[in-house]
Amino acid sequence: MIESWRWYGDLDTIPLSDIAQTGATGIVTALHEIPYGEVWPTDTIAARKAHITDAGFEWVVVESLPVHERIKRGDGDLSKLFANYRQSMANLAANGVHTICYNFMPLLDWTRTDLTAPVAGGATCLRFEATRMAAFEIHMLGRSAAEDDYPEDVRAKAAVWFQQASEADSEALLGSIMAGMPGAFDRYDLAGLRDALSAYEGIDRDVLRSNYKRFLDEVIPAAEELGMRLCVHPDDPPRDILGLPRIVSDGDDLDWVLGAYDSPANGITLCSGSLGANPKNDVPAIAAKVADRIHFAHLRNVAKDPDGSFEEAAHLEGDTDMVTLVQVLLDEQKRRRAQGRADHLIPFRPDHGHHMLSDLSQEMIPGYPLIGRLRGLAELRGVISALSHAS
């Protein structure tokens, strides 16, 4: 497997020189400074790749080439947006970058209610607290149908939290939820979020699926011609949120995605944390079923609570059997190698880490600390080495 590291370019406080000390050889990055829907210029891609190569790495995965919200909504004439997406793909391929991770989550990317939840020993982690999310939706945002999305006990606790919360508490909650907005654009206040959500009125699961299939129909043929692989990232959290449908949340959803356009170019980013937050998901079993279409892996773990809350666990702790999952990926690599595929190695990265030690005193992107991810990478490296030796 290819040990990789997510790097946010000029937005990242962790330089490539520090990442080199982790032992990772691949970089996962994007041109986050380019607004959604615009073409990624060839020269800008080339400059980013040269920066990465000069530091001793390979740019192994684009994460992400964002899908514009208008495409997700099926809003108006989309021909230019689809053309721009295909041109960006062509420009990436011309620079030797052939794997694109993306998501089809409406409006929000990953969503958490606490960016600094305490864990044993003094570190902190990302946490999704059902009570606080309910308080946000019902009492702060005032979404009319939100009460139907939460059980009575969670609604009661949410009311208590909101009554006791200070203005600073409410601002911190909004800030945590907005931290999951992808890239460098579109952070909302409450009024702005209400307006953004209103644009999705009438878009249910079936409509979103139809819009997603249209996207696949528009871009996968181009990916096939370019020798590229696209891999969708599962929903995070894997449930409807803010009244928005989520359609990449479990094994059945992944089956639908792969069947919507049956092509090796239409694949999966296996995120063990996103899938692992859904209580009904057996992540190793899902991975085994879609193994031939896994083009990239995010390896992390979560610990779930009965009320729907969850938090980031250490990579070898939490609810997902990481050893079994890694074995699935190694078995798939072996199968690809037997087929004679030169691209049999699966790039992975340690996803989300605890903020610990010197991470706590430095400004870092939430969920993407240096020491916490280094710990995760070291643990995963040990699992991979032991399983590879045993086989």
Side-chain angles (χ1 to χ4, degrees):
M1 297 178 71
I2 302 173
E3 295 183 3
S4 307
W5 193 272
R6 190 171 193 182
W7 179 60
Y8 286 86
D10 293 339
L11 302 176
D12 209 321
T13 59
I14 302 173
L16 291 173
S17 57
D18 284 0
I19 298 171
Q21 297 180 54
T22 70
T25 59
I27 289 295
V28 175
T29 193
L31 303 183
H32 298 286
E33 63 275 16
I34 296 180
Y36 300 169
E38 295 188 6
V39 173
W40 286 15
T42 299
D43 57 351
T44 307
I45 295 169
R48 177 62 56 86
K49 183 178 180 181
H51 189 179
I52 292 167
T53 302
D54 289 347
F57 298 96
E58 179 185 2
W59 187 355
V60 291
V61 177
V62 172
E63 186 178 351
S64 298
L65 181 58
V67 180
H68 198 279
E69 294 300 314
R70 285 184 54 210
I71 292 176
K72 297 175 188 177
R73 296 193 303 263
D75 181 15
D77 181 2
L78 301 176
S79 56
K80 180 173 175 56
L81 287 175
F82 285 129
N84 286 356
Y85 203 96
R86 290 190 294 265
Q87 186 61 58
S88 294
M89 290 167 53
N91 294 347
L92 285 163
N95 279 279
V97 185
H98 290 94
T99 302
I100 296 174
C101 170
Y102 70 100
N103 75 69
F104 214 80
M105 290 180 263
L107 197 61
L108 297 179
D109 200 326
W110 58 266
T111 303
R112 300 292 186 272
T113 59
D114 194 338
L115 306 181
T116 57
V119 297
T124 67
C125 72
L126 303 180
R127 179 172 174 81
F128 179 91
E129 180 71 44
T131 295
R132 293 190 185 187
M133 195 68 207
F136 179 80
E137 292 206 58
I138 297 169
H139 300 286
M140 290 176 58
L141 192 62
R143 189 170 69 84
S144 59
E147 291 200 11
D148 296 336
D149 293 342
Y150 295 93
E152 183 178 352
D153 61 330
V154 172
R155 296 198 305 268
K157 292 177 182 177
V160 172
W161 184 90
F162 181 71
Q163 291 167 3
Q164 297 177 346
S166 65
E167 182 176 347
D169 292 334
S170 296
E171 290 177 354
L173 179 56
L174 174 62
S176 295
I177 292 171
M178 287 299 100
M181 294 293 292
F185 307 96
D186 293 339
R187 299 297 188 270
Y188 300 117
D189 58 13
L190 287 173
L193 182 57
R194 291 188 192 100
D195 288 342
L197 289 171
S198 69
Y200 275 90
E201 289 181 2
I203 297 179
D204 61 12
R205 179 179 178 84
D206 290 339
V207 173
L208 190 61
R209 271 190 168 185
S210 177
N211 295 342
Y212 188 11
K213 183 173 181 354
R214 181 183 178 188
F215 168 75
L216 294 174
D217 290 342
E218 291 279 355
V219 302
I220 296 300
E224 292 173 333
E225 293 178 6
L226 294 166
M228 302 192 80
R229 289 186 169 88
L230 272 65
C231 40
V232 66
H233 187 287
D235 302 325
D236 186 9
R239 50 164 287 181
D240 293 355
I241 195 166
L242 296 174
L244 300 170
R246 294 292 181 97
I247 59 172
V248 192
S249 293
D250 57 29
D252 291 341
D253 288 344
L254 295 183
D255 288 343
W256 180 89
V257 171
L258 298 181
Y261 200 110
D262 188 7
S263 167
N266 177 28
I268 302 296
T269 295
L270 181 79
C271 181
S272 56
S274 295
L275 292 171
N278 186 332
K280 77 175 187 178
N281 285 341
D282 181 334
V283 180
I286 290 173
K289 187 175 181 182
V290 301
D292 64 330
R293 303 279 276 275
I294 295 173
H295 301 322
F296 179 36
H298 291 178
L299 298 182
R300 62 182 174 90
N301 223 322
V302 296
K304 299 184 289 292
D305 297 333
D307 68 355
S309 303
F310 63 89
E311 68 182 33
E312 309 286 351
H315 285 71
L316 300 187
E317 300 174 12
D319 298 333
T320 294
D321 183 343
M322 190 63 69
V323 175
T324 298
L325 179 59
V326 170
Q327 185 67 69
V328 169
L329 297 175
L330 291 175
D331 289 344
E332 174 59 19
Q333 282 194 161
K334 184 177 180 179
R335 188 192 68 82
R336 296 178 187 185
R337 187 167 57 248
Q339 291 180 330
R341 284 179 53 175
D343 63 344
H344 63 276
L345 293 176
I346 298 172
F348 80 95
R349 64 175 180 83
D351 193 15
H352 295 183
H354 289 172
H355 287 244
M356 57 195 304
L357 302 173
S358 59
D359 294 334
L360 296 168
S361 61
Q362 301 183 45
E363 287 292 326
M364 293 184 178
I365 294 171
Y368 292 93
L370 177 60
I371 305 302
R373 281 187 290 166
L374 175 58
R375 175 189 172 183
L377 178 59
E379 292 175 342
L380 294 167
R381 180 183 295 147
V383 169
I384 293 167
S385 179
L387 292 175
S388 300
H389 180 76
S391 65

